[in-house]
Amino acid sequence: MTFVIDLRWRKHYRPVGTGWDYRPKGIKPSSVVIHTTNGNRGSSFDGEADYLEASSGVGAHYLVGQRGQIAEILPPIYRAWHAGAAKDDWINSRSIGIECHHAVGEAWTPEQRAALAWLCQRLMADWSMVLGAIETHRFVALPAGRKPDPSDWTDRSFYAWRDGLIDPVQPAGTYPVALELKVAWQSSGGLWHPSQFAPGYALTPFFRHPDGHQYQLFERSGARFTPHGSIEWLFTEEVERFKQWWRTHP
């Protein structure tokens, strides 16, 4: 499915400092932050776009509507004031802000998610972004818990949607990386992307060992997921030891 980007709104025609300015020299976008407008139910797409264009205090690069509309409010070469205090990979200087027209309590439409996916895929290609650079505002905002958006979209559902932005061919005899591991890795502040783990697949499923921990093993490394939710990385001899155990206890 192909979508059209509406260019009627041009925030960069307004004075610098009114919700936008320039990215630092040499810095290009390397991540995306997904927001929801969280305005009044029944507000119009054009009305939300007008607000983002006219606001002197906030900005966004794109607005995605419930019927699949996409408006470019500010070209990504400029810096939008959208993230606020954020983890370093998603500060305004490094990120593209996408607002989704959505009020708290509303259902997400398939058309909106499809348009958002199309836009993110385009931005990933245009700016050579990794999959893990596409994140929610609530994940990147500091301090933790400062922002809830995108509203009415759980982390599990969001990351499943994000995984669908790429369609890798899974090598025979391998296993998908456990969602629990991805979420825990992201919660620790890391950028998840498939190329980090051989390439996005594991040699074992997520399994429980008699020592009480859960594990997933990769070609040259492994991850121990503790009962407290933290990740401990395994290498070389320790990985080989657990591989031997797994082969005899499939």
Side-chain angles (χ1 to χ4, degrees):
M1 184 179 294
T2 302
F3 296 86
V4 176
I5 297 179
D6 191 336
L7 301 179
R8 285 180 291 159
W9 293 273
R10 304 280 79 189
K11 193 173 183 70
H12 58 299
Y13 290 176
R14 295 180 177 272
V16 175
T18 55
W20 76 278
D21 58 4
Y22 298 102
R23 297 186 189 274
K25 186 176 181 180
I27 300 296
K28 68 174 187 175
S30 58
S31 61
V32 171
V33 180
I34 307 297
H35 306 258
T36 44
T37 54
N38 290 358
N40 296 324
R41 290 196 182 198
S43 65
S44 70
F45 177 82
D46 283 13
E48 295 286 356
D50 289 343
Y51 171 78
L52 288 170
E53 181 191 56
S55 174
S56 62
V58 297
H61 294 95
Y62 296 95
L63 175 67
V64 178
Q66 295 169 338
R67 292 185 286 108
Q69 316 99 301
I70 302 174
E72 182 183 84
I73 308 299
L74 181 72
I77 59 171
Y78 302 109
R79 177 170 62 185
W81 300 357
H82 67 95
K87 296 176 182 177
D88 192 57
D89 286 318
W90 294 275
I91 59 174
N92 288 337
S93 294
R94 294 189 172 96
S95 62
I96 292 172
I98 301 178
E99 288 281 358
C100 298
H101 182 201
H102 177 89
V104 174
E106 288 183 326
W108 286 76
T109 66
E111 295 83 0
Q112 187 169 37
R113 286 191 177 171
L116 180 61
W118 180 87
L119 178 58
C120 287
Q121 289 168 331
R122 177 178 175 135
L123 294 174
M124 289 169 65
D126 288 349
W127 298 99
S128 301
M129 293 180 186
V130 299
L131 186 65
I134 313 297
E135 264 298 354
T136 63
H137 195 196
R138 64 174 165 267
F139 172 77
V140 310
L142 294 176
R146 182 174 66 86
K147 291 291 184 178
D149 59 316
S151 298
D152 304 300
W153 199 353
T154 66
D155 285 343
R156 180 174 289 272
S157 177
F158 174 82
Y159 294 128
W161 167 85
R162 189 182 69 177
D163 283 347
L165 297 178
I166 60 173
D167 185 24
V169 177
Q170 181 173 347
T174 62
Y175 299 84
V177 177
L179 180 60
E180 293 88 344
L181 182 57
K182 292 183 181 182
V183 172
W185 173 253
Q186 289 159 338
S187 297
S188 71
L191 258 179
W192 174 267
H193 57 95
S195 63
Q196 290 177 310
F197 297 106
Y201 293 100
L203 298 182
T204 70
F206 205 44
F207 66 89
R208 184 174 295 278
H209 188 269
D211 65 7
H213 298 109
Q214 291 178 295
Y215 294 85
Q216 189 161 49
L217 304 179
F218 304 90
E219 184 176 353
R220 294 176 298 276
S221 64
R224 176 189 290 122
F225 189 73
T226 73
H228 304 293
S230 62
I231 299 175
E232 299 172 354
W233 294 105
L234 315 175
F235 298 99
T236 57
E237 294 180 3
E238 196 171 13
V239 171
E240 290 304 317
R241 178 165 60 86
F242 280 104
K243 283 182 182 178
Q244 289 294 333
W245 184 89
W246 169 253
R247 292 187 187 107
T248 58
H249 299 79

